[in-house]
């Protein structure tokens, strides 16, 4: 009985590892497509970043599986308050992977009707725009890159979506509580 339970646990762990490996593989696959644009412009990330992005992948999948089926939802947006340039450089392993803006597009079951990306740094925002253009339609016509402080951009933005998924991934105090309250 104990051996059987151990075997089941081992098999369960192996299944989780294979699932994680497949998600990391997908991240790498899409990275090749966009990383040729703006070659040296990346967000400096860490080894936990892929796990965070896989979690986002999961929620994008769940969200875009449920929300488009709701009769009352005509417009559903993806808001990324700290979008970056769309790629992450993971220092510890000298690797580049796609970032949250592209996770929102490539891993959605149904594309969002609008993608709003906010980035404070002008160079990163322009590289993100170029990378979105490289991906092409329908992403490029649905995406808007805003340059500026996310708190100010959100304060001045008219959000007309019936529903939205906001991704707020800050390392510090970048997003003010008033901004979070406005989104809520």
């Amino acid at each position: 009985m104990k051996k059987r339970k151990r075997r089941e646990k081992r098999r369960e762990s192996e299944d989780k590892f294979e699932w994680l490996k497949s998600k990391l593989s997908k991240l790498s696959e899409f990275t090749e497509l966009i990383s040729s644009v703006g070659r040296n412009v990346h967000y400096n990330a860490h080894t936990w970043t892929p796990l965070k992005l896989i979690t986002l992948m999961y929620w994008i999948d769940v969200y875009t599986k449920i929300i488009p089926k709701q009769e009352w939802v005509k417009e559903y947006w993806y808001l990324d308050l700290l979008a970056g340039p769309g790629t992450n450089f993971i220092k510890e392993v000298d690797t580049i992977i796609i970032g949250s803006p592209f996770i929102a597009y490539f891993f959605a079951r149904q594309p969002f009707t609008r993608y709003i990306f906010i980035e404070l740094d002008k160079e990163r925002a322009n590289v993100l725009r170029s990378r979105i253009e490289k991906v092409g339609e329908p992403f490029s016509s649905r995406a808007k890159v805003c340059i500026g402080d996310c708190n100010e951009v959100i304060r001045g933005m008219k959000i007309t979506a019936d529903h939205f998924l906001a991704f707020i991934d800050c390392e510090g105090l970048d997003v003010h509580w008033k901004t979070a309250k406005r989104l809520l």
Side-chain angles (χ1 to χ4, degrees), residues 85-103:
T87 55
N88 296 286
F89 175 68
I90 303 172
K91 301 178 235 184
E92 296 88 348
V93 290
D94 193 31
T95 300
I96 298 167
I97 61 169
I98 62 172
S100 54
F102 294 99
I103 300 267

Side-chain angles (χ1 to χ4, degrees), residues 4 10 14 19 29 31 100 111 113 128 142 155 178:
R4 189 160 133 210
R10 191 175 324 122
E14 289 170 358
W19 178 86
E29 179 185 323
T31 298
S100 54
T113 54
L128 177 58
R142 295 178 182 203
R155 189 176 326 118
K178 277 185 177 180

Side-chain angles (χ1 to χ4, degrees), residues 65-160:
K65 186 185 210 178
I66 296 168
I67 294 300
K69 292 179 182 176
Q70 306 309 307
E71 288 179 25
W72 58 275
V73 176
K74 304 294 181 243
E75 290 268 321
Y76 55 103
W77 295 2
Y78 175 80
L79 304 173
D80 197 328
L81 274 62
L82 304 158
T87 55
N88 296 286
F89 175 68
I90 303 172
K91 301 178 235 184
E92 296 88 348
V93 290
D94 193 31
T95 300
I96 298 167
I97 61 169
I98 62 172
S100 54
F102 294 99
I103 300 267
Y105 178 70
F106 288 129
F107 292 96
R109 286 190 183 230
Q110 296 285 330
F112 287 85
T113 54
R114 193 94 169 113
Y115 297 84
I116 306 294
F117 303 114
I118 305 169
E119 175 53 42
L120 180 61
D121 182 271
K122 189 175 183 176
E123 181 184 24
R124 286 181 178 178
N126 288 330
V127 168
L128 177 58
R129 259 193 209 110
S130 297
R131 288 175 174 159
I132 290 168
E133 289 300 319
K134 172 130 177 128
V135 171
E137 291 297 329
F139 191 34
S140 57
S141 63
R142 295 178 182 203
K144 179 179 181 181
V145 178
C146 304
I147 301 172
D149 180 294
C150 65
N151 301 292
E152 294 170 18
V153 172
I154 289 295
R155 189 176 326 118
M157 181 181 289
K158 184 174 182 185
I159 299 172
T160 59

Side-chain angles (χ1 to χ4, degrees), residues 30-56:
F30 292 122
T31 298
E32 289 179 29
L33 173 68
I34 62 164
S35 63
S36 62
V37 176
R39 283 219 177 265
N40 295 317
V41 180
H42 311 288
Y43 179 76
N44 287 323
H46 298 281
T47 51
W48 58 82
T49 300
L51 297 175
K52 177 177 54 181
L53 293 172
I54 288 168
T55 302
L56 177 61

